mmCIF file of all heavy atoms in Angstrom:
data_model
loop_
_atom_site.group_PDB
_atom_site.id
_atom_site.type_symbol
_atom_site.label_atom_id
_atom_site.label_comp_id
_atom_site.label_asym_id
_atom_site.label_seq_id
_atom_site.Cartn_x
_atom_site.Cartn_y
_atom_site.Cartn_z
ATOM 1 N N HIS A 1181 15.951 1.945 11.756
ATOM 2 C CA HIS A 1181 15.988 0.704 11.007
ATOM 3 C C HIS A 1181 14.689 0.596 10.225
ATOM 4 O O HIS A 1181 13.701 1.276 10.525
ATOM 5 C CB HIS A 1181 16.216 -0.507 11.897
ATOM 6 C CG HIS A 1181 15.246 -0.591 13.041
ATOM 7 N ND1 HIS A 1181 14.107 -1.399 12.997
ATOM 8 C CD2 HIS A 1181 15.234 0.017 14.218
ATOM 9 C CE1 HIS A 1181 13.458 -1.265 14.131
ATOM 10 N NE2 HIS A 1181 14.104 -0.415 14.882
ATOM 11 N N GLY A 1182 14.709 -0.272 9.217
ATOM 12 C CA GLY A 1182 13.608 -0.348 8.279
ATOM 13 C C GLY A 1182 12.236 -0.486 8.893
ATOM 14 O O GLY A 1182 11.292 0.223 8.560
ATOM 15 N N TYR A 1183 12.150 -1.371 9.820
ATOM 16 C CA TYR A 1183 10.858 -1.665 10.419
ATOM 17 C C TYR A 1183 10.246 -0.424 11.061
ATOM 18 O O TYR A 1183 9.060 -0.128 10.926
ATOM 19 C CB TYR A 1183 11.053 -2.761 11.478
ATOM 20 C CG TYR A 1183 9.766 -3.343 12.023
ATOM 21 C CD1 TYR A 1183 9.122 -4.369 11.362
ATOM 22 C CD2 TYR A 1183 9.265 -2.897 13.213
ATOM 23 C CE1 TYR A 1183 7.963 -4.905 11.855
ATOM 24 C CE2 TYR A 1183 8.081 -3.426 13.724
ATOM 25 C CZ TYR A 1183 7.446 -4.455 13.034
ATOM 26 O OH TYR A 1183 6.304 -4.993 13.544
ATOM 27 N N GLY A 1202 7.951 -4.200 0.826
ATOM 28 C CA GLY A 1202 8.409 -4.582 -0.503
ATOM 29 C C GLY A 1202 9.074 -3.477 -1.300
ATOM 30 O O GLY A 1202 9.832 -3.721 -2.236
ATOM 31 N N TYR A 1205 12.547 -1.841 1.771
ATOM 32 C CA TYR A 1205 13.859 -2.484 1.909
ATOM 33 C C TYR A 1205 14.671 -2.359 0.637
ATOM 34 O O TYR A 1205 15.878 -2.061 0.717
ATOM 35 C CB TYR A 1205 13.694 -3.931 2.367
ATOM 36 C CG TYR A 1205 13.364 -4.027 3.839
ATOM 37 C CD1 TYR A 1205 12.120 -4.481 4.282
ATOM 38 C CD2 TYR A 1205 14.268 -3.587 4.810
ATOM 39 C CE1 TYR A 1205 11.812 -4.545 5.641
ATOM 40 C CE2 TYR A 1205 13.964 -3.652 6.163
ATOM 41 C CZ TYR A 1205 12.732 -4.132 6.582
ATOM 42 O OH TYR A 1205 12.442 -4.167 7.905
ATOM 43 N N ARG A 1259 20.162 -7.062 16.460
ATOM 44 C CA ARG A 1259 20.048 -7.715 15.163
ATOM 45 C C ARG A 1259 19.589 -6.730 14.063
ATOM 46 O O ARG A 1259 19.727 -6.981 12.882
ATOM 47 C CB ARG A 1259 19.074 -8.873 15.242
ATOM 48 C CG ARG A 1259 17.649 -8.440 15.524
ATOM 49 C CD ARG A 1259 16.884 -9.569 16.190
ATOM 50 N NE ARG A 1259 15.849 -9.053 17.061
ATOM 51 C CZ ARG A 1259 14.605 -8.899 16.691
ATOM 52 N NH1 ARG A 1259 14.228 -9.169 15.499
ATOM 53 N NH2 ARG A 1259 13.715 -8.474 17.558
ATOM 54 N N ARG A 1260 19.017 -5.625 14.427
ATOM 55 C CA ARG A 1260 18.449 -4.767 13.412
ATOM 56 C C ARG A 1260 19.515 -3.953 12.715
ATOM 57 O O ARG A 1260 20.599 -3.713 13.245
ATOM 58 C CB ARG A 1260 17.448 -3.797 14.029
ATOM 59 C CG ARG A 1260 16.951 -4.288 15.360
ATOM 60 C CD ARG A 1260 15.892 -3.398 15.872
ATOM 61 N NE ARG A 1260 16.445 -2.547 16.923
ATOM 62 C CZ ARG A 1260 15.669 -1.743 17.644
ATOM 63 N NH1 ARG A 1260 14.384 -1.733 17.410
ATOM 64 N NH2 ARG A 1260 16.214 -1.007 18.574
ATOM 65 N N LYS A 1261 19.171 -3.508 11.561
ATOM 66 C CA LYS A 1261 20.109 -2.758 10.746
ATOM 67 C C LYS A 1261 19.677 -1.287 10.756
ATOM 68 O O LYS A 1261 18.704 -0.906 10.129
ATOM 69 C CB LYS A 1261 20.066 -3.281 9.312
ATOM 70 C CG LYS A 1261 21.347 -3.079 8.554
ATOM 71 C CD LYS A 1261 21.328 -3.919 7.286
ATOM 72 C CE LYS A 1261 22.428 -3.492 6.331
ATOM 73 N NZ LYS A 1261 22.331 -4.200 5.039
ATOM 74 P P DT D 407 0.347 -9.240 18.392
ATOM 75 O OP1 DT D 407 -0.337 -8.229 19.192
ATOM 76 O OP2 DT D 407 -0.158 -9.694 17.082
ATOM 77 O "O5'" DT D 407 1.855 -8.700 18.142
ATOM 78 C "C5'" DT D 407 2.646 -8.370 19.273
ATOM 79 C "C4'" DT D 407 4.097 -8.275 18.873
ATOM 80 O "O4'" DT D 407 4.600 -9.548 18.430
ATOM 81 C "C3'" DT D 407 4.353 -7.325 17.704
ATOM 82 O "O3'" DT D 407 5.126 -6.261 18.246
ATOM 83 C "C2'" DT D 407 5.142 -8.174 16.694
ATOM 84 C "C1'" DT D 407 5.661 -9.303 17.570
ATOM 85 N N1 DT D 407 6.000 -10.589 16.860
ATOM 86 C C2 DT D 407 7.256 -11.087 16.972
ATOM 87 O O2 DT D 407 8.142 -10.527 17.646
ATOM 88 N N3 DT D 407 7.499 -12.255 16.308
ATOM 89 C C4 DT D 407 6.575 -12.948 15.544
ATOM 90 O O4 DT D 407 6.899 -14.016 14.980
ATOM 91 C C5 DT D 407 5.255 -12.376 15.455
ATOM 92 C C7 DT D 407 4.203 -13.054 14.665
ATOM 93 C C6 DT D 407 5.034 -11.226 16.118
ATOM 94 P P DC D 408 5.678 -5.084 17.404
ATOM 95 O OP1 DC D 408 5.785 -3.898 18.271
ATOM 96 O OP2 DC D 408 4.869 -5.015 16.155
ATOM 97 O "O5'" DC D 408 7.146 -5.584 17.018
ATOM 98 C "C5'" DC D 408 8.070 -5.803 18.104
ATOM 99 C "C4'" DC D 408 9.382 -6.280 17.538
ATOM 100 O "O4'" DC D 408 9.193 -7.576 16.911
ATOM 101 C "C3'" DC D 408 9.972 -5.367 16.445
ATOM 102 O "O3'" DC D 408 11.341 -5.181 16.711
ATOM 103 C "C2'" DC D 408 9.722 -6.152 15.150
ATOM 104 C "C1'" DC D 408 9.786 -7.594 15.646
ATOM 105 N N1 DC D 408 9.065 -8.588 14.803
ATOM 106 C C2 DC D 408 9.724 -9.729 14.369
ATOM 107 O O2 DC D 408 10.907 -9.903 14.665
ATOM 108 N N3 DC D 408 9.041 -10.645 13.609
ATOM 109 C C4 DC D 408 7.779 -10.416 13.308
ATOM 110 N N4 DC D 408 7.138 -11.351 12.553
ATOM 111 C C5 DC D 408 7.078 -9.269 13.752
ATOM 112 C C6 DC D 408 7.766 -8.377 14.501
ATOM 113 P P DA D 409 12.149 -4.101 16.049
ATOM 114 O OP1 DA D 409 13.402 -3.883 16.816
ATOM 115 O OP2 DA D 409 11.246 -2.942 15.825
ATOM 116 O "O5'" DA D 409 12.487 -4.758 14.652
ATOM 117 C "C5'" DA D 409 13.577 -5.674 14.574
ATOM 118 C "C4'" DA D 409 13.656 -6.322 13.232
ATOM 119 O "O4'" DA D 409 12.575 -7.250 13.008
ATOM 120 C "C3'" DA D 409 13.552 -5.407 12.005
ATOM 121 O "O3'" DA D 409 14.865 -4.935 11.671
ATOM 122 C "C2'" DA D 409 12.958 -6.319 10.943
ATOM 123 C "C1'" DA D 409 12.661 -7.596 11.658
ATOM 124 N N9 DA D 409 11.401 -8.267 11.270
ATOM 125 C C8 DA D 409 10.117 -7.873 11.495
ATOM 126 N N7 DA D 409 9.225 -8.699 11.008
ATOM 127 C C5 DA D 409 9.943 -9.700 10.423
ATOM 128 C C6 DA D 409 9.597 -10.870 9.741
ATOM 129 N N6 DA D 409 8.349 -11.245 9.496
ATOM 130 N N1 DA D 409 10.603 -11.677 9.294
ATOM 131 C C2 DA D 409 11.871 -11.300 9.517
ATOM 132 N N3 DA D 409 12.339 -10.234 10.165
ATOM 133 C C4 DA D 409 11.310 -9.461 10.591
ATOM 134 P P DT D 410 15.085 -4.178 10.323
ATOM 135 O OP1 DT D 410 16.423 -3.571 10.438
ATOM 136 O OP2 DT D 410 13.899 -3.351 10.012
ATOM 137 O "O5'" DT D 410 15.176 -5.362 9.248
ATOM 138 C "C5'" DT D 410 16.176 -6.357 9.425
ATOM 139 C "C4'" DT D 410 16.121 -7.321 8.281
ATOM 140 O "O4'" DT D 410 14.823 -7.998 8.306
ATOM 141 C "C3'" DT D 410 16.206 -6.690 6.904
ATOM 142 O "O3'" DT D 410 17.348 -7.163 6.219
ATOM 143 C "C2'" DT D 410 14.907 -7.080 6.199
ATOM 144 C "C1'" DT D 410 14.503 -8.320 6.993
ATOM 145 N N1 DT D 410 13.050 -8.611 6.910
ATOM 146 C C2 DT D 410 12.634 -9.831 6.388
ATOM 147 O O2 DT D 410 13.404 -10.661 5.978
ATOM 148 N N3 DT D 410 11.276 -10.017 6.351
ATOM 149 C C4 DT D 410 10.300 -9.101 6.777
ATOM 150 O O4 DT D 410 9.109 -9.382 6.699
ATOM 151 C C5 DT D 410 10.789 -7.883 7.309
ATOM 152 C C7 DT D 410 9.843 -6.834 7.817
ATOM 153 C C6 DT D 410 12.134 -7.687 7.377
ATOM 154 P P DG D 411 18.029 -6.408 5.051
ATOM 155 O OP1 DG D 411 19.373 -6.926 4.780
ATOM 156 O OP2 DG D 411 17.840 -4.953 5.262
ATOM 157 O "O5'" DG D 411 17.069 -6.859 3.867
ATOM 158 C "C5'" DG D 411 17.520 -7.984 3.225
ATOM 159 C "C4'" DG D 411 16.397 -8.910 2.860
ATOM 160 O "O4'" DG D 411 15.124 -8.669 3.488
ATOM 161 C "C3'" DG D 411 15.987 -8.799 1.403
ATOM 162 O "O3'" DG D 411 16.994 -9.474 0.615
ATOM 163 C "C2'" DG D 411 14.668 -9.529 1.371
ATOM 164 C "C1'" DG D 411 14.253 -9.543 2.850
ATOM 165 N N9 DG D 411 12.867 -9.166 3.055
ATOM 166 C C8 DG D 411 12.359 -8.035 3.659
ATOM 167 N N7 DG D 411 11.050 -7.995 3.718
ATOM 168 C C5 DG D 411 10.648 -9.186 3.119
ATOM 169 C C6 DG D 411 9.367 -9.723 2.880
ATOM 170 O O6 DG D 411 8.267 -9.224 3.176
ATOM 171 N N1 DG D 411 9.406 -10.961 2.261
ATOM 172 C C2 DG D 411 10.567 -11.598 1.878
ATOM 173 N N2 DG D 411 10.429 -12.761 1.266
ATOM 174 N N3 DG D 411 11.786 -11.137 2.096
ATOM 175 C C4 DG D 411 11.762 -9.928 2.706
ATOM 176 P P DT D 412 16.947 -9.252 -0.937
ATOM 177 O OP1 DT D 412 18.271 -9.682 -1.431
ATOM 178 O OP2 DT D 412 16.416 -7.926 -1.190
ATOM 179 O "O5'" DT D 412 15.875 -10.324 -1.402
ATOM 180 C "C5'" DT D 412 16.003 -11.683 -1.031
ATOM 181 C "C4'" DT D 412 14.904 -12.489 -1.691
ATOM 182 O "O4'" DT D 412 13.622 -12.119 -1.119
ATOM 183 C "C3'" DT D 412 14.778 -12.272 -3.195
ATOM 184 O "O3'" DT D 412 14.569 -13.547 -3.797
ATOM 185 C "C2'" DT D 412 13.573 -11.347 -3.329
ATOM 186 C "C1'" DT D 412 12.732 -11.789 -2.158
ATOM 187 N N1 DT D 412 11.801 -10.741 -1.596
ATOM 188 C C2 DT D 412 10.478 -11.008 -1.551
ATOM 189 O O2 DT D 412 9.963 -12.032 -1.954
ATOM 190 N N3 DT D 412 9.699 -9.978 -0.992
ATOM 191 C C4 DT D 412 10.165 -8.771 -0.482
ATOM 192 O O4 DT D 412 9.392 -7.960 -0.020
ATOM 193 C C5 DT D 412 11.583 -8.561 -0.600
ATOM 194 C C7 DT D 412 12.186 -7.305 -0.094
ATOM 195 C C6 DT D 412 12.342 -9.541 -1.119
ATOM 196 P P DA D 413 14.578 -13.698 -5.331
ATOM 197 O OP1 DA D 413 15.144 -15.040 -5.641
ATOM 198 O OP2 DA D 413 15.153 -12.493 -5.962
ATOM 199 O "O5'" DA D 413 13.013 -13.715 -5.649
ATOM 200 C "C5'" DA D 413 12.139 -14.502 -4.845
ATOM 201 C "C4'" DA D 413 10.837 -14.692 -5.578
ATOM 202 O "O4'" DA D 413 9.850 -13.735 -5.093
ATOM 203 C "C3'" DA D 413 10.888 -14.479 -7.092
ATOM 204 O "O3'" DA D 413 9.980 -15.383 -7.680
ATOM 205 C "C2'" DA D 413 10.522 -13.016 -7.247
ATOM 206 C "C1'" DA D 413 9.512 -12.823 -6.127
ATOM 207 N N9 DA D 413 9.502 -11.503 -5.518
ATOM 208 C C8 DA D 413 10.586 -10.655 -5.328
ATOM 209 N N7 DA D 413 10.263 -9.525 -4.730
ATOM 210 C C5 DA D 413 8.905 -9.625 -4.510
ATOM 211 C C6 DA D 413 7.983 -8.778 -3.904
ATOM 212 N N6 DA D 413 8.312 -7.576 -3.382
ATOM 213 N N1 DA D 413 6.695 -9.185 -3.827
ATOM 214 C C2 DA D 413 6.379 -10.357 -4.353
ATOM 215 N N3 DA D 413 7.158 -11.275 -4.927
ATOM 216 C C4 DA D 413 8.434 -10.822 -4.982
ATOM 217 P P DA D 414 9.790 -15.416 -9.254
ATOM 218 O OP1 DA D 414 9.716 -16.837 -9.653
ATOM 219 O OP2 DA D 414 10.778 -14.521 -9.914
ATOM 220 O "O5'" DA D 414 8.343 -14.790 -9.359
ATOM 221 C "C5'" DA D 414 7.341 -15.138 -8.400
ATOM 222 C "C4'" DA D 414 6.094 -14.361 -8.684
ATOM 223 O "O4'" DA D 414 6.146 -13.066 -8.023
ATOM 224 C "C3'" DA D 414 5.867 -14.067 -10.165
ATOM 225 O "O3'" DA D 414 4.469 -14.173 -10.429
ATOM 226 C "C2'" DA D 414 6.367 -12.637 -10.327
ATOM 227 C "C1'" DA D 414 5.940 -12.036 -8.979
ATOM 228 N N9 DA D 414 6.725 -10.869 -8.547
ATOM 229 C C8 DA D 414 8.039 -10.619 -8.802
ATOM 230 N N7 DA D 414 8.481 -9.487 -8.290
ATOM 231 C C5 DA D 414 7.354 -8.937 -7.673
ATOM 232 C C6 DA D 414 7.133 -7.765 -6.956
ATOM 233 N N6 DA D 414 8.091 -6.855 -6.720
ATOM 234 N N1 DA D 414 5.899 -7.558 -6.481
ATOM 235 C C2 DA D 414 4.951 -8.459 -6.713
ATOM 236 N N3 DA D 414 5.022 -9.607 -7.369
ATOM 237 C C4 DA D 414 6.271 -9.794 -7.838
#
Side-chain angles (χ1 to χ4, degrees):
Chain A
H1181 52 98
Y1183 190 84
Y1205 285 113
R1259 66 205 150 95
R1260 340 185 257 188
K1261 206 167 167 186

